[in-house]
Amino acid sequence: MTETEAALRTLAHNVRAARNRAGLSLDELGRRAKVSKGALVGLEKAQGNPNFATLVRLADTLGISVSALMEGSSEQRVRVVSAAAVMPLWKGERGGEARLMLTTGGPAATEVWRWTLEPGEEYPSHPHQAGVTETVSVTTGEMVLVVDGTEYPVTAGQTAGFDGDAAHTYRGAGTGTCHLIMTVHLPPGPA
């Protein structure tokens, strides 16, 4: 079995288990997450290739983290994750990317993401569920954070935090690659 096949099987199992825990039918999950029933059926059969936006909508609807949909169970006390070992979940048209490095456990999980954005490249995100907050910490370069249509420049050494239940966009700025760490803080919810 290839790495991709194994990842799809894990994703299929986790989506089905989370949907069942939430007591949702395929129709109801699809309606709430704005994902077609056919796409959900394929996903639960470990078929297809869901995009990042679909995974975010499913996770938000199910009240869990994106990584809870993608990761197998972890029994380790300490996890060390290399960026090279994590496949990008988003790739920009100019070479930028986003990798979900890990998610902390517990009732209020935090996702840790590593992003690169090239100048002018952007990722628009739909609003998340109420109670989700995000931070972006720029380590090198420049970016523009857009929240509810207002632009906020964020440069190397700066961190911005905001409520994720508003429309928001990450845009590379300046002349070089922007490297940032993004965290998503999820409200307490189902495990």
Side-chain angles (χ1 to χ4, degrees):
M1 177 182 338
T2 68
E3 247 182 76
T4 302
E5 291 169 331
L8 280 173
R9 284 187 182 184
T10 298
L11 177 62
H13 173 268
N14 292 344
V15 168
R16 188 172 36 259
R19 180 178 62 79
N20 288 334
R21 276 194 310 272
L24 298 175
S25 67
L26 284 167
D27 287 325
E28 184 61 14
L29 177 58
R31 185 186 66 74
R32 291 183 186 184
K34 297 180 175 86
V35 175
S36 74
K37 181 179 178 181
L40 286 173
V41 168
L43 184 64
E44 288 194 6
K45 289 182 177 180
Q47 299 169 345
N49 186 16
N51 65 31
F52 179 50
T54 298
L55 295 176
V56 170
R57 285 195 307 272
L58 287 171
D60 281 350
T61 301
L62 293 166
I64 61 177
S65 67
V66 172
S67 63
L69 290 178
M70 304 194 58
E71 293 178 347
S73 62
S74 175
E75 304 294 325
Q76 299 173 332
R77 185 175 174 104
V78 175
R79 291 183 291 162
V80 177
V81 181
S82 165
V86 179
M87 292 176 38
L89 291 178
W90 172 80
K91 287 191 174 192
E93 59 190 34
R94 298 180 183 179
E97 62 182 30
R99 294 173 190 257
L100 176 56
M101 299 303 296
L102 62 85
T103 301
T104 62
T110 298
E111 298 176 345
V112 179
W113 293 79
R114 184 176 295 207
W115 284 75
T116 58
L117 292 168
E118 296 301 327
E121 189 171 53
E122 64 180 40
Y123 175 77
S125 178
H126 72 285
H128 301 298
Q129 64 181 334
V132 171
T133 59
E134 292 190 21
T135 65
V136 290
S137 297
V138 176
T139 57
T140 56
E142 305 172 40
M143 70 169 289
V144 174
L145 171 65
V146 183
V147 179
D148 270 341
T150 302
E151 296 187 356
Y152 302 89
V154 186
T155 61
Q158 293 183 320
T159 298
F162 61 98
D163 292 334
D165 60 355
H168 52 283
T169 299
Y170 298 154
R171 181 183 318 130
T175 58
T177 302
C178 176
H179 295 269
L180 63 111
I181 302 297
M182 184 260 284
T183 60
V184 180
H185 307 271
L186 302 167

